[in-house]
């Protein structure tokens, strides 16, 4: 998750706290990632939706939850995932962004707009 | 010239059953013009650009003939050798340049999805003439047209498809299209070259439950069409294994005598040795007719993409 958000590197100066297996009200467990001084853009939210379709993003301003949104998988995933087909035109030197239709949310299954190859195990191909 | 019925012809999956039926109907209208028996010039002054990034003489000539029969002209290349592509120009740039030279483009490319990319980039209509192991939609249409012409129906037709069903993506789109039209499908493939699960799921979603046979003799008994595809040597670990499989799927008069007298054999050609030459002169052979049908079908697609009225 941290890698997806690109906060593993030296580029981030704010505090990051991670809590794992926290009991939630619904008697399920959840993991919490808290990043200070950071609001996510659409692209980052889409990346989270790909690997954690049930995630909730809370934006906390001045110690209060200012916004609370459930991530939503877009219908078309652009640029975040690499096509698993080595013979796909998007894996050549063409200046083109990858594009996938979401054919199934759980388990997450994508179809390449270009080569039409069906792709599961999407997390392996996130760039 | 009226409004084009389609903007591009990239993948058979882009078209509904009704749209495919329209193409089949137009192809039928084209038969007397395709044979040269009657003349027609709806695409007079129009230019077809043929961008063949890998050689496929048969497909290219068939597109050129179709365009000329419609009164248009053709230009292009039959391999990237000696062109700016060889110097490293990317496909997107080549399309942007050549689309200003032509009114419609046909592309064949070794990479899957190349035709979709070309269609996205180009403001002119793009026809996919095969992208690697990907789609080859005009082949699918001509296969459907050949079956329809020969048997006068697709619904309820018993079609046996034989060969490499795993990697042959044109066989996937043909099977899906046949299922859309309600044909009964039987698959015969060597172990490890069977139809992939996602294709079977797609076929079943159209209400067709395919049958599977290992012995060809059993499969042909009730068949109306036996569709044979090449099995590539490269798919096998060693030459003996390939020879064994190739030998067990040889189509000859003895095998065809097990089936109906009206059983027709199809093959996208070129064949290597899947079909014995003794079948050529029998009423079972439909593959040369199938190849000839490439002209009326491509005339239909070209004329519809250009918005020519009939
Ligand atoms: Zn792809």
């Amino acid at each position: 998750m941290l890698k997806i958000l690109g906060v593993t590197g030296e580029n981030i100066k704010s505090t990051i706290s991670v809590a794992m297996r926290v009991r939630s009200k619904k008697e399920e467990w959840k993991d919490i990632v808290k990043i200070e001084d950071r609001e996510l853009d659409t692209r980052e939210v889409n990346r989270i939706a790909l690997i954690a379709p049930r995630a909730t993003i809370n934006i906390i301003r001045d110690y209060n939850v200012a916004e609370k949104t459930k991530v939503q998988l877009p219908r078309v995933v652009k640029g975040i995932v690499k096509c698993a087909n080595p013979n796909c035109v998007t894996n050549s030197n063409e200046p083109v962004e990858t594009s996938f239709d979401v054919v199934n949310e759980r388990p997450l299954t994508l179809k390449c707009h270009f080569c039409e190859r069906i792709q599961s195990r999407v997390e392996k191909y996130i760039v | 010239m009226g409004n084009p019925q389609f903007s591009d012809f990239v993948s058979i999956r882009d078209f509904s059953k009704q749209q495919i039926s329209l193409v089949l109907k137009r192809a039928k209208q084209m038969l007397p013009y395709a044979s040269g028996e009657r003349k027609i010039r709806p695409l007079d002054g129009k230019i077809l650009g043929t961008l063949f990034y890998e050689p496929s003489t048969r497909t290219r000539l068939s597109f050129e003939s179709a365009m000329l029969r419609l009164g248009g002209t053709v230009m292009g290349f039959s391999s990237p050798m000696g062109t700016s592509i060889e110097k490293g120009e990317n496909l997107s740039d080549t399309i942007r340049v050549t689309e200003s030279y032509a009114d419609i483009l046909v592309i064949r490319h070794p990479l899957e999805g190349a035709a979709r990319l070309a269609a996205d980039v180009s403001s002119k209509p793009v026809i996919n003439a095969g992208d690697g192991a990907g789609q080859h939609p005009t082949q699918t249409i001509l296969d459907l047209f050949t079956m329809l012409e020969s048997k006068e129906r697709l619904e309820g037709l018993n079609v046996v498809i034989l060969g490499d069903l795993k990697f042959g993506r044109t066989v996937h789109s043909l099977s899906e299209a046949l299922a859309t039209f309600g044909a009964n499908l039987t698959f015969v493939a060597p172990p490890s070259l069977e139809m992939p699960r996602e294709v079977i799921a797609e076929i079943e979603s159209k209400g067709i439950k395919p049958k599977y046979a290992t012995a060809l003799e059993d499969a042909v008994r009730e068949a109306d069409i036996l569709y044979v595809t090449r099995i590539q040597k490269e798919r096998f670990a060693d030459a003996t294994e390939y020879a064994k499989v190739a030998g067990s799927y040889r189509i000859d008069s003895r095998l065809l005598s097990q089936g109906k007298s009206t059983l027709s054999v199809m093959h996208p050609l070129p064949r290597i040795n899947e079909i014995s030459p003794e079948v050529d002169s029998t009423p079972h052979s439909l593959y040369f007719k199938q190849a000839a049908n490439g002209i009326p079908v491509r005339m239909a697609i070209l004329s519809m993409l250009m918005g020519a009225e009939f």
Side-chain angles (χ1 to χ4, degrees):
Chain A
M1 178 64 88
L2 294 176
K3 210 171 120 193
I4 296 290
L5 293 174
V7 291
T8 46
E10 312 277 286
N11 55 330
I12 292 286
K13 291 184 181 64
S14 53
T15 309
I16 299 166
S17 354
V18 179
M20 289 174 80
R21 299 193 69 84
V22 180
R23 275 204 182 263
S24 77
K25 281 180 226 153
K26 296 171 208 141
E27 293 294 302
E28 291 172 321
W29 57 267
K30 61 182 176 185
D31 299 341
I32 298 171
V33 178
K34 186 176 152 204
I35 306 167
E36 288 174 26
D37 305 322
R38 177 85 184 268
E39 287 194 18
L40 303 171
D41 62 27
T42 322
R43 212 180 158 85
E44 289 169 319
V45 173
N46 284 346
R47 290 165 80 97
I48 295 170
L50 282 179
I51 53 155
R54 287 194 295 171
T56 304
I57 296 172
N58 296 336
I59 296 172
I60 300 168
R61 292 192 194 104
D62 303 328
Y63 310 103
N64 289 313
V65 176
E67 278 173 48
K68 184 167 180 166
T69 42
K70 286 213 175 309
V71 298
Q72 214 180 2
L73 207 56
R75 254 173 17 89
V76 177
V77 176
K78 277 187 185 289
I80 305 165
V81 180
K82 185 175 140 53
C83 184
N85 175 6
N87 221 16
C88 178
V89 72
T90 59
N91 287 321
S92 69
N93 63 354
E94 291 300 322
V96 59
E97 192 179 43
T98 62
S99 178
F100 298 86
D101 291 333
V102 176
V103 288
N104 199 3
E105 292 201 9
R106 312 194 71 196
L108 181 59
T109 313
L110 304 180
K111 187 173 118 189
C112 177
H113 165 71
F114 295 95
C115 72
E116 300 184 7
R117 192 69 69 92
I118 299 285
Q119 184 161 338
S120 46
R121 299 174 69 198
V122 172
E123 64 291 341
K124 265 183 69 185
Y125 295 94
I126 293 179
V127 287
Chain B
M1 217 153 278
N3 283 326
Q5 273 141 312
F6 319 114
S7 54
D8 295 292
F9 213 82
V10 171
S11 165
I12 200 79
R13 293 184 181 132
D14 297 342
F15 302 100
S16 67
K17 186 179 172 181
Q18 285 71 21
Q19 288 175 313
I20 295 172
S21 299
L22 280 176
V23 180
L24 295 170
K25 202 175 140 209
R26 176 68 67 92
K28 174 119 185 139
Q29 289 177 298
M30 289 297 169
L31 279 170
Y33 306 105
S35 65
E37 187 190 315
R38 283 158 72 179
K39 305 246 182 297
I40 199 175
R41 298 189 66 81
L43 299 189
D44 192 12
K46 299 290 180 193
I47 300 171
L48 169 69
T50 56
L51 315 181
F52 276 60
Y53 284 79
E54 60 179 13
S56 175
T57 312
R58 190 188 308 271
T59 307
R60 185 173 53 83
L61 290 180
S62 145
F63 270 107
E64 292 188 0
S65 171
M67 189 63 179
L68 297 172
R69 292 281 197 211
L70 290 164
T73 51
V74 295
M75 51 138 233
F77 53 86
S78 51
S79 98
M81 295 234 284
T83 68
S84 49
I85 298 145
E86 211 186 20
K87 298 182 193 116
E89 182 176 66
N90 66 44
L91 174 63
S92 313
D93 283 2
T94 305
I95 296 297
R96 283 189 191 100
V97 173
T98 47
E99 72 164 333
S100 62
Y101 303 161
D103 300 291
I104 180 165
L105 299 173
V106 52
I107 178 171
R108 184 172 180 108
H109 199 282
L111 292 177
E112 292 163 49
R116 179 74 68 195
L117 174 63
D120 287 354
V121 169
S122 170
S123 59
K124 305 278 172 66
V126 170
I127 301 175
N128 183 3
D131 54 349
Q135 297 285 326
H136 192 1
T138 61
Q139 176 74 44
T140 307
I141 299 281
L142 85 85
D143 290 342
L144 294 175
F145 181 67
T146 303
M147 292 182 203
L148 188 60
E149 276 293 285
S150 165
K151 308 296 176 195
E152 293 175 331
R153 68 192 168 111
L154 292 173
E155 195 175 340
L157 207 62
N158 293 328
V159 182
V160 175
I161 303 182
L162 163 74
D164 174 359
L165 307 187
K166 185 175 183 185
F167 297 101
R169 300 261 308 278
T170 51
V171 159
H172 302 166
S173 30
L174 175 63
S175 306
E176 289 171 19
L178 281 168
T180 303
F181 281 91
N184 302 315
L185 299 169
T186 303
F187 298 133
V188 188
S192 80
L193 293 180
E194 288 119 340
M195 195 59 99
R197 252 182 312 152
E198 67 254 27
V199 181
I200 293 169
E202 185 68 32
I203 291 165
E204 288 179 346
S205 77
K206 296 170 195 291
I208 296 294
K209 193 123 189 78
K211 286 190 220 131
Y212 307 90
T214 37
L216 199 47
E217 285 79 7
D218 300 334
V220 298
R221 214 149 278 156
E222 291 305 312
D224 298 304
I225 299 278
L226 173 59
Y227 193 102
V228 187
T229 64
R230 263 186 309 282
I231 295 175
Q232 286 170 320
K233 227 180 242 171
E234 305 88 86
R235 303 287 182 217
F236 293 88
D238 60 83
T240 2
E241 189 60 25
Y242 165 73
K244 211 174 86 191
V245 168
S248 68
Y249 290 132
R250 194 169 158 82
I251 313 301
D252 54 22
S253 299
R254 196 198 54 79
L255 172 80
L256 296 174
S257 69
Q258 313 280 308
K260 297 198 224 177
S261 61
T262 53
L263 170 63
S264 296
V265 181
M266 291 175 66
H267 190 296
L269 302 180
R271 64 179 153 175
I272 309 299
N273 47 20
E274 301 89 358
I275 303 172
S276 162
E278 69 188 21
V279 180
D280 297 359
S281 56
T282 72
H284 296 300
S285 120
L286 192 55
Y287 32 92
F288 295 123
K289 187 70 187 286
Q290 179 188 2
N293 282 337
I295 307 292
V297 163
R298 288 175 178 127
M299 285 174 78
I301 292 163
L302 285 167
S303 69
M304 290 171 97
L305 282 168
M306 296 300 294
E309 306 278 8
F310 274 85

